[in-house]
Amino acid sequence: MKHSKTLKSALRGGLLLMALIFQNTVLAQTVTVPPMDSVEISLLTCQPHDEVYSLYGHTAIRYHELTKDGIDAAFNYGVFNYDAPLFVIRFVFGLTDYELGAYPTDLFQEEYRRFGSMVTEQVLNLSNQEKLLLRQALIDNLKPEHRIYRYNYFYNNCTTKARDIIERHINGQVKYTDRENHSPTYREMVHQMTRNHPWARFGNDLLLGILSDKQTSRREQEFLPSNLLYDFDHARIYSNGSYKPLVKERRIIVPSGVQMLHGSFPLTPRQCGYVLLFAGAMLAFMQWRQRRVFVLWDGLLTTASGIIGFVLFLMLFSQHPTVSLNFQFLFFNPVHIICLWSVLRGKAIRYWHLCIVMAVLFLIGSLFQTYAEGLYTLALCLLIQAIIHLFIVKRNEQ
C-alpha cells in the first residue's frame, strides 16, 4: 500500500515518457468533458505481493471512458521517491510526503500482473453529476500545489485518501455495515498481513507502541485495502429517502498469478530468541560455577539492548501517534549505552541493580502491550547477568 514506486517499476524501458504525456493529456481535459453515461469510476484493490512495500496491498481509483480512444487512467495516491535523501529516516519519523499520480490503467495492471497479484475492480454506482464532480476533483488533485500530502501509515495513506475523495463527491450519505464482533487492533491487522514475513512483523512490533493495541472502529480498519474493499461491497448510498448499493459491479481485472517469494534469514526472531536464551543459560551456569563474570558477554548483551533502546528513544520524536508511547522503552532505552563503558570495566554494580528494576517494569508493561518476539529473551538474558553479578559480589564480600 505504501509502494508507489509502482510508477518507477511499471514504466521501466522508456514508458515513463509515455506516462507523463498521458498525465498532461488528463490535465488538458478540464474543458472537454465526455458524456458521463459512458464513464465508469471504480475502486481498484490490489492483492499484496512479496515486496516489503506491498505486504499490505494497495488501492487506486480508475477513471474509464468507455468510448473509442477514451481516457483510461489509474489515479494512485501512493507515489513516492524511494531514492529521495533520508527517505527511510523520514518515513520512520512520519515526515514522508506522498503524492497523487495518474497513468494508463494498462500499465497499472501490468505492474501487478508481473508480481502475480490480483486486482479487483469495484465499479461505483454514481450519478452523472457525481462522476463529473469526482473527475474534476481528481484532476485538481493532480495539480502541483495539491498533489503532495503528508503520509501517515494508519490515518492518511493511499487507501484512506481514495475513500475520502470518493465519499466527499457523493450526493448523499454512504452507509456502511459494521461487521459483528470485529474490532481487531492495529497490531493484529499488521500481524495478519505480515504472517509470512516474521522479520517485518518484528520490526513493526518493535516500533509500534501501546496505542496500536487498542481496538479499532470500522473506519480505522479501512487503512487496509482489503478492509475498504469489503466495506464498499456492503455499503449503500442514502439519498432522497432511498438507498442504492455503492458498488454496482465487481470484477477481476488482473487474475491472481504465481508470486515469487524472496529468501530471508533462515531463523525467525522467536527462534533467534531461543538460541540466545540457551546460550545465556549455559554461560550463566559456567559463570556461577567459576564464580566470575564474562565481560564480553556482558558487553554484547548491553550493546544489543542499548542499540534497540536508542532506536526506541528516537521514536519519542516521531510524528506517528502509535509509536511515541512504547512500554518496551521501560527496559530497552539508552541507559545501556550510557553504562556500557562501566560494564566493560567491571564497575557497573548500580547498572545491574537498575537492570533488575527495569526488567520488573518491563514485565508489568507486557500486561498492556504486545512486545516484539525475541525481546523477552534478550531482557531475560540481561536480567540473568544482573543476578549473576550480584551473586558473585555477595560471595566475594563474604
Side-chain angles (χ1 to χ4, degrees):
M1 66 192 292
K2 306 177 287 221
H3 178 34
S4 294
K5 242 170 142 175
T6 308
L7 193 57
K8 181 178 179 180
S9 349
L11 307 179
R12 201 175 278 134
L15 293 176
L16 178 58
L17 178 61
M18 177 182 173
L20 293 176
I21 293 173
F22 178 86
Q23 183 168 298
N24 290 334
T25 302
V26 173
L27 289 171
Q29 296 291 326
T30 54
V31 178
T32 305
V33 179
M36 288 295 110
D37 285 336
S38 62
V39 172
E40 287 184 345
I41 298 182
S42 312
L43 186 77
L44 302 181
T45 302
C46 309
Q47 183 185 47
H49 56 77
D50 200 50
E51 297 290 344
V52 67
Y53 53 73
S54 187
L55 296 181
Y56 308 93
H58 187 52
T59 299
I61 296 174
R62 182 182 187 181
Y63 174 85
H64 187 194
E65 296 173 2
L66 303 177
T67 56
K68 183 180 180 181
D69 300 323
I71 292 174
D72 188 2
F75 288 79
N76 175 11
Y77 279 96
V79 175
F80 65 82
N81 181 9
Y82 188 82
D83 298 322
L86 303 177
F87 175 83
V88 174
I89 294 176
R90 289 178 60 84
F91 181 83
V92 169
F93 280 94
L95 301 174
T96 309
D97 289 330
Y98 278 41
E99 62 184 86
L100 173 64
Y103 45 97
T105 301
D106 58 349
L107 297 182
F108 186 87
Q109 291 173 280
E110 181 58 28
E111 164 77 356
Y112 286 92
R113 189 175 291 111
R114 284 194 309 109
F115 285 111
S117 296
M118 181 173 67
V119 177
T120 302
E121 179 179 21
Q122 292 168 294
V123 181
L124 301 178
N125 194 10
L126 304 179
S127 68
N128 288 346
Q129 179 65 20
E130 289 167 339
K131 293 176 189 177
L132 184 62
L133 292 174
L134 185 52
R135 173 187 185 275
Q136 187 58 49
L138 290 170
I139 292 174
D140 287 342
N141 273 200
L142 275 178
K143 295 177 180 178
E145 63 269 28
H146 297 151
R147 66 189 306 163
I148 297 174
Y149 70 98
R150 181 53 53 88
Y151 176 88
N152 184 283
Y153 175 66
F154 288 132
Y155 306 120
N156 196 37
N157 63 19
C158 57
T159 300
T160 62
K161 293 288 286 186
R163 175 199 64 193
D164 294 346
I165 196 171
I166 290 171
E167 287 181 345
R168 283 198 302 268
H169 294 90
I170 289 178
N171 182 25
Q173 186 175 6
V174 180
K175 298 283 189 177
Y176 293 97
T177 303
D178 290 334
R179 285 184 262 185
E180 187 175 354
N181 299 321
H182 184 75
S183 53
T185 65
Y186 282 121
R187 194 186 305 274
E188 288 170 342
M189 288 185 282
V190 169
H191 280 188
Q192 175 64 20
M193 303 308 294
T194 57
R195 58 191 178 278
N196 297 322
H197 297 80
W199 285 101
R201 185 174 66 242
F202 172 84
N204 287 322
D205 281 340
L206 179 64
L207 299 182
L208 291 175
I210 189 172
L211 294 180
S212 66
D213 288 298
K214 73 177 185 70
Q215 291 185 319
T216 57
S217 65
R218 173 197 49 76
R219 194 162 186 84
E220 289 172 325
Q221 295 159 22
E222 288 173 353
F223 81 97
L224 281 180
S226 58
N227 287 340
L228 185 62
L229 179 146
Y230 178 92
D231 289 341
F232 266 36
D233 269 344
H234 296 81
R236 296 181 297 168
I237 299 173
Y238 179 75
S239 179
N240 298 323
S242 62
Y243 289 91
K244 66 177 181 179
L246 174 60
V247 175
K248 70 176 181 180
E249 185 180 351
R250 174 173 169 169
R251 57 176 81 116
I252 304 298
I253 62 171
V254 176
S256 182
V258 177
Q259 295 198 9
M260 300 297 295
L261 301 180
H262 295 90
S264 61
F265 190 70
L267 298 180
T268 67
R270 186 187 299 272
Q271 291 167 338
C272 288
Y274 290 151
V275 171
L276 182 65
L277 183 59
F278 177 78
M282 294 296 294
L283 291 172
F285 178 74
M286 293 169 63
Q287 291 172 98
W288 177 76
R289 288 290 301 270
Q290 298 177 23
R291 296 183 183 178
R292 69 182 183 90
V293 294
F294 299 159
V295 177
L296 289 179
W297 180 240
D298 288 343
L300 176 64
L301 294 176
T302 304
T303 300
S305 300
I307 292 173
I308 294 173
F310 183 70
V311 171
L312 295 183
F313 172 74
L314 292 178
M315 289 302 99
L316 297 176
F317 306 98
S318 174
Q319 298 299 307
H320 289 299
T322 52
V323 305
S324 56
L325 182 60
N326 192 330
F327 284 176
Q328 293 168 121
F329 190 71
L330 294 171
F331 188 88
F332 295 98
N333 54 62
V335 166
H336 303 286
I337 292 293
I338 295 171
C339 297
L340 179 59
W341 179 239
S342 298
V343 169
L344 295 175
R345 294 169 60 207
K347 298 180 179 181
I349 189 64
R350 291 183 179 178
Y351 168 73
W352 296 116
H353 279 98
L354 184 57
C355 275
I356 294 176
V357 174
M358 291 191 301
V360 172
L361 294 175
F362 181 77
L363 182 61
I364 294 173
S366 69
L367 300 176
F368 305 96
Q369 178 183 324
T370 301
Y371 293 162
E373 289 183 357
L375 286 196
Y376 285 104
T377 52
L378 179 55
L380 181 57
C381 285
L382 208 49
L383 175 61
I384 292 172
Q385 283 302 106
I387 294 172
I388 290 291
H389 272 267
L390 299 181
F391 170 77
I392 291 176
V393 168
K394 184 176 180 180
R395 291 297 298 265
N396 289 341
E397 289 176 349
Q398 292 177 347

